[in-house]
Structure formats: C-alpha cells, structure tokens
Amino acid sequence: MTDTKRFDGKVTLVTGAAGNIGLATAERLAASGSAIALLDLGGAKLDDAVAKVARAGVTARGYACDVTDAAQVQEIVDRVVADFGRIDFLFNNAGYQGAFAPVHAYPAEDFSRVMTINVCGAFHVLQAVARHMVGRNFGRIVNTASMAGVGGPPNMAGYAASKFAIVGLTQTASKDLAPYNIRVNAISPAFMGPGFMWDRQVELQAKAGSQYFSSDPKVVAEQMINSVPMRRYGDITEIPGVVEFLLGDDSSYMTGVNLPIAGGIL
C-alpha cells in the first residue's frame, strides 16, 4: 500500500509565513505533503522559515513581498504560479496588531497602517490568488481574522476594525467565488501565547489606562486568562490543524464560515 499524504501534489501559498502562526501552519501543511510558497517581507526570518518547512521533504520557496502593494502582490502570485504550476490553497495570514489606546486617543496614522496591511493587504492577496483559482475552477482559501473582529476589545480600534472587515470580506468572497468551486473561510484566534504577541498585548493594555484592565501587566495577564472559559491562552500549535481542516475535503460543505479558536470565548 502506498503511504500517501492528504495534500500530496497540492501547492499552498502562505502569507505572513515568517511569523509564528504562518510558519507553524506552513510546517503542518508541508507535513501533510503540500508544496509551500512562503510569502513575507523577506530577510533572514523568511530564509529560516523556508529551511524549516523544507525539512518535511517538500518543495518550499520564499518570496519577499509587501502585501500593501497590489501590483507587487500580483507579480509575486504570478511568479508562484510559474514556479509551482498552480496554487491550490491560500492561507491569507499576514497582519499587524497595531497600537493600544482608547478610540479618542488612538493615533490616526496607526489606524491607517493597520487597515492598509490587514484589510487592503489581505484583499490584494485574495484577489490575485482568486484570479488564478477561477481559471482552474478550484481553490481553498483561509483568511486569518481574530476574536477582536467578533467582540471588539477595548483600546484596539484599528485591529478590531480590520478583523471585522476580514470576516465581512470572507463572507462576500465566499459567495462571489462559490460558482468557481472555491471555498473561502476564516479563523479567529483569541489569546495566543506564550511569546511576543501575548507579551506585547499584556504590556500595552496595562499602559492604555482603561477601566477594563489593571495597570500591572501581571494582573492584566490574569484578567485576560480569567475571561477565557478554558482558563488558559491558546498555543500556536492549536491553530494549524484548524486551517488544515478548512483547506481539506473534510470541510467540503463549508464556506463563508469564521471558526473561533478561542477557548470558549464567543
């Protein structure tokens, strides 16, 4: 009997591929047999990510790209198609957390930056890849949203607005692309740790000076954890399996769905 992996022969494009979530997911999909195109801003982190993914024995290539530049995104997607022959799956994951401040004090320039990266960037990638998928009449797309785009946390106007937008983009794209056998879903992680993003969020919420969190980062961490029914933050390794499920045939009748990865937060 031949030992085949579920994604043998598939090609996946992962954006934000040098970050924790992007890399963990790229490694998971590579272990399932998919060739991986890793897209990020470039540099040593992207090179390291490519090397780690290639250990699974699949073809892995890195592409430096600024997702806020629509023309550059289209050029890179075209190059990926030329290099790999096609794109079957997209994990549209690149993003930026932004500042932490109440809405009346939130820096306007940062709000614009968050929206440009998280919304315009995600749209540029989704559109460029969808153009290719429409021509093949096949595709699977997973966008990274957030529970910040479901519940609207305090002091995160930019990030929350951007992730609400991603949920809406997912729902609209799922309808527009359904006639072409392309499914579009989203994931919404809540608190994830340990690491830079968790530490940054705890520290900056403590500094934001709101009634919702203590000014002591240690207390803020406890407050966040206590808001989760499962009383813990999620591990990055708990995300890739959900993405794999949404890309695979086990979710074949699911599109336009936003799946929380949130320990019971609704």
Side-chain angles (χ1 to χ4, degrees):
M1 181 179 293
T2 303
D3 181 18
T4 58
K5 298 179 180 179
R6 66 182 309 197
F7 290 157
D8 274 351
K10 299 298 186 184
V11 176
T12 305
L13 174 62
V14 178
T15 70
N20 291 339
I21 294 174
L23 176 55
T25 303
E27 289 180 301
R28 172 69 174 250
L29 300 177
S32 292
S34 178
I36 308 290
L38 296 93
L39 190 153
D40 210 298
L41 289 173
K45 285 188 65 177
L46 180 57
D47 293 339
D48 289 345
V50 172
K52 289 176 180 177
V53 172
R55 291 172 190 165
V58 301
T59 300
R61 296 185 181 181
Y63 299 84
C65 182
D66 178 358
V67 297
T68 67
D69 184 334
Q72 187 180 137
V73 168
Q74 187 66 62
E75 178 185 347
I76 293 298
V77 168
D78 290 344
R79 191 184 308 168
V80 171
V81 172
D83 289 345
F84 287 86
R86 66 191 181 283
I87 298 171
D88 300 292
F89 304 147
L90 166 64
F91 182 38
N92 199 9
N93 171 69
Y96 166 61
Q97 195 178 44
F100 285 72
V103 68
H104 58 280
Y106 196 96
E109 64 276 11
D110 189 80
F111 189 92
S112 294
R113 183 184 180 201
V114 173
M115 298 298 284
T116 300
I117 295 172
N118 294 1
V119 183
C120 296
F123 171 75
H124 295 156
V125 175
L126 187 152
Q127 182 181 63
V129 173
R131 284 169 173 157
H132 164 69
M133 290 178 170
V134 164
R136 294 184 61 224
N137 201 50
F138 178 84
R140 306 289 181 257
I141 296 170
V142 176
N143 296 318
T144 298
S146 169
M147 291 307 291
V150 175
N155 305 314
M156 298 180 72
Y159 192 72
S162 74
K163 294 304 183 177
F164 271 100
I166 291 299
V167 174
L169 176 62
T170 298
Q171 293 173 352
T172 293
S174 72
K175 295 177 176 67
D176 290 347
L177 297 175
Y180 304 98
N181 191 30
I182 301 169
R183 295 193 291 109
V184 186
N185 293 294
I187 58 167
S188 276
F191 302 127
M192 290 287 159
F196 171 76
M197 293 294 285
W198 169 258
D199 293 341
R200 182 180 187 272
Q201 185 170 359
V202 167
E203 179 182 346
L204 294 182
Q205 284 287 22
K207 291 180 178 178
S210 73
Q211 65 178 352
Y212 303 101
F213 293 106
S214 169
S215 59
D216 182 344
K218 291 183 179 179
V219 177
V220 171
E222 294 174 359
Q223 291 174 315
M224 289 181 176
I225 294 300
N226 287 335
S227 72
V228 181
M230 290 181 69
R231 292 298 189 269
R232 66 176 178 86
Y233 50 55
D235 191 277
I236 297 298
T237 61
E238 294 177 290
I239 294 176
V242 181
V243 178
E244 183 176 30
F245 165 71
L246 289 173
L247 294 174
D249 291 340
D250 289 338
S251 61
S252 57
Y253 199 50
M254 295 173 65
T255 194
V257 171
N258 178 34
L259 282 185
I261 308 174
I265 297 175
L266 299 175

